Amino acid sequence: MRDDAWWKRWSGVPGWFNEAEGKTLYRLIYDLPTPAMIVEIGCFRGKSTIAMLQACADSSNDRHKLVISIDPFDGGDGASSGLADERERAKLVKQFRDNVKSFNLDPWLSRLDVETSDEWFAQRDARGTSEYAAFFIDGLHSIVDQDMKRAWPL
């Protein structure tokens, strides 16, 4: 587990997770067996991403655990309409990447060239791949149930 200084620094990353939630997410990812691919839908500025990436780094420094992070970076943060223009979108992507980079965790991040969970699920289905150790779904809240059903079809 990370020390208090790390968690204090992590608390400075914009987002809605508190320290207890971050530690719980960290522990869940840390305890996954390797190899492990974790899919995150919705990452905002990277707060939850960083907790998961740090767990990957701490439990598998040979990169046998990776996080795939999916987000349209359209400003859909719950307070806006989610209609950011390209300049604003580029700014949001840069903030996310800078936050991850500031913790030196980019080797454990796999950003696919997809902007929405719909695109990612379509690619997953086309590949016939369903070997993922965990899904962390905190995207657009109006479609979380849809993402959950697609992640774990009955």
Side-chain angles (χ1 to χ4, degrees), residues 34-144:
T34 56
M37 186 67 67
I38 298 101
V39 178
E40 175 187 37
I41 299 174
C43 58
F44 188 52
R45 301 297 189 277
K47 192 168 198 165
S48 58
T49 312
I50 290 166
M52 290 189 288
L53 292 171
Q54 190 64 62
C56 290
D58 290 348
S59 62
S60 175
N61 62 9
D62 52 5
R63 294 189 61 225
H64 286 295
K65 285 186 183 176
L66 293 172
V67 175
I68 297 171
S69 189
I70 302 164
D71 198 299
F73 294 101
D74 62 359
D77 60 5
S80 68
S81 65
L83 301 173
D85 63 20
E86 282 304 307
R87 191 170 60 236
E88 181 65 17
R89 185 179 179 278
K91 179 181 165 188
L92 298 172
V93 170
K94 182 177 181 335
Q95 289 172 348
F96 170 80
R97 289 188 175 148
D98 288 350
N99 285 335
V100 170
K101 201 174 282 189
S102 74
F103 283 81
N104 298 313
L105 295 169
D106 359 17
W108 290 271
L109 177 65
S110 179
R111 275 276 299 142
L112 297 180
D113 191 22
V114 295
E115 295 182 2
T116 67
S117 57
D118 287 339
E119 291 176 82
W120 184 81
F121 282 116
Q123 286 185 13
R124 178 201 69 175
D125 295 345
R127 288 188 309 268
T129 306
S130 60
E131 303 279 329
Y132 302 96
F135 280 89
F136 179 70
I137 301 175
D138 190 22
L140 185 60
H141 293 187
S142 62
I143 63 167
V144 165

